[in-house]
Amino acid sequence: MVSGGIWGYYAWGTYWLWTPKELWTSILWLFYSLYLHLRLQGAKWERTVAWAAIIGFGVTIFTYLGVSMLMKSSHSF
Protein backbone atom coordinates (compact mmCIF):
# COMPACT_ATOMS: atom_id res chain seq x y z
CA MET A 1 0.00 0.00 0.00
CA VAL A 2 2.86 2.36 0.72
CA SER A 3 4.49 1.72 -2.66
CA GLY A 4 1.10 2.28 -4.33
CA GLY A 5 0.86 5.68 -2.66
CA ILE A 6 4.33 6.60 -3.84
CA TRP A 7 3.48 5.44 -7.37
CA GLY A 8 0.23 7.46 -7.23
CA TYR A 9 2.16 10.56 -6.26
CA TYR A 10 4.34 10.29 -9.35
CA ALA A 11 1.41 9.35 -11.62
CA TRP A 12 -1.29 11.76 -10.39
CA GLY A 13 0.52 14.22 -8.13
CA THR A 14 -1.12 13.01 -4.91
CA TYR A 15 -0.69 10.02 -2.60
CA TRP A 16 -4.42 9.46 -2.09
CA LEU A 17 -7.38 10.21 -4.40
CA TRP A 18 -10.29 9.19 -2.11
CA THR A 19 -11.78 7.00 -4.81
CA PRO A 20 -14.30 4.39 -3.62
CA LYS A 21 -12.01 1.49 -4.53
CA GLU A 22 -9.09 2.92 -2.54
CA LEU A 23 -11.31 3.77 0.42
CA TRP A 24 -13.01 0.37 0.63
CA THR A 25 -9.74 -1.49 0.14
CA SER A 26 -8.31 0.43 3.10
CA ILE A 27 -11.42 -0.36 5.16
CA LEU A 28 -10.91 -4.02 4.27
CA TRP A 29 -7.26 -3.93 5.39
CA LEU A 30 -8.20 -2.26 8.68
CA PHE A 31 -11.03 -4.73 9.27
CA TYR A 32 -8.81 -7.76 8.79
CA SER A 33 -6.11 -6.29 11.00
CA LEU A 34 -8.78 -5.96 13.70
CA TYR A 35 -9.84 -9.55 12.98
CA LEU A 36 -6.29 -10.86 13.41
CA HIS A 37 -5.97 -9.03 16.70
CA LEU A 38 -9.30 -10.42 17.90
CA ARG A 39 -8.05 -13.95 17.24
CA LEU A 40 -5.23 -13.39 19.71
CA GLN A 41 -7.65 -12.62 22.57
CA GLY A 42 -8.30 -16.24 23.50
CA ALA A 43 -11.11 -18.76 23.69
CA LYS A 44 -13.77 -16.49 25.18
CA TRP A 45 -13.74 -14.39 21.97
CA GLU A 46 -14.39 -17.34 19.60
CA ARG A 47 -18.00 -16.36 18.89
CA THR A 48 -17.02 -12.75 18.13
CA VAL A 49 -14.20 -13.93 15.87
CA ALA A 50 -16.61 -16.19 13.97
CA TRP A 51 -19.04 -13.33 13.38
CA ALA A 52 -16.17 -11.05 12.38
CA ALA A 53 -15.09 -13.63 9.78
CA ILE A 54 -18.59 -13.68 8.28
CA ILE A 55 -18.77 -9.88 8.22
CA GLY A 56 -15.26 -9.75 6.74
CA PHE A 57 -16.34 -12.03 3.90
CA GLY A 58 -19.24 -9.69 3.18
CA VAL A 59 -16.96 -6.66 3.19
CA THR A 60 -14.58 -8.47 0.84
CA ILE A 61 -17.36 -9.31 -1.62
CA PHE A 62 -18.70 -5.75 -1.46
CA THR A 63 -15.23 -4.30 -2.04
CA TYR A 64 -14.61 -6.51 -5.04
CA LEU A 65 -18.04 -6.57 -6.68
CA GLY A 66 -20.19 -3.87 -5.09
CA VAL A 67 -17.77 -0.99 -5.42
CA SER A 68 -16.92 -1.95 -9.00
CA MET A 69 -20.57 -2.20 -10.06
CA LEU A 70 -22.21 0.54 -8.00
CA MET A 71 -19.62 3.32 -7.80
CA LYS A 72 -17.54 5.19 -10.35
CA SER A 73 -13.79 5.02 -9.81
CA SER A 74 -10.53 5.38 -11.65
CA HIS A 75 -9.80 1.83 -10.47
CA SER A 76 -12.65 0.11 -12.31
CA PHE A 77 -11.78 -3.46 -13.20
Side-chain angles (χ1 to χ4, degrees), residues 42-77:
K44 66 180 182 178
W45 287 84
E46 287 179 355
R47 190 174 179 96
T48 305
V49 170
W51 278 106
I54 294 169
I55 293 168
F57 180 73
V59 172
T60 302
I61 295 299
F62 179 77
T63 300
Y64 185 68
L65 295 175
V67 173
S68 296
M69 292 181 185
L70 300 175
M71 301 175 190
K72 300 267 187 224
S73 176
S74 61
H75 292 95
S76 296
F77 45 86

Side-chain angles (χ1 to χ4, degrees), residues 4-73:
I6 294 169
W7 178 85
Y9 180 76
Y10 287 112
W12 297 305
T14 182
Y15 293 104
W16 189 263
L17 290 176
W18 289 101
T19 61
K21 185 67 91 169
E22 284 181 75
L23 181 63
W24 276 95
T25 302
S26 298
I27 290 170
L28 186 65
W29 273 87
L30 291 172
F31 184 84
Y32 274 109
S33 65
L34 170 72
Y35 172 77
L36 290 174
H37 282 86
L38 274 176
R39 289 186 59 201
L40 297 173
Q41 296 300 315
K44 66 180 182 178
W45 287 84
E46 287 179 355
R47 190 174 179 96
T48 305
V49 170
W51 278 106
I54 294 169
I55 293 168
F57 180 73
V59 172
T60 302
I61 295 299
F62 179 77
T63 300
Y64 185 68
L65 295 175
V67 173
S68 296
M69 292 181 185
L70 300 175
M71 301 175 190
K72 300 267 187 224
S73 176

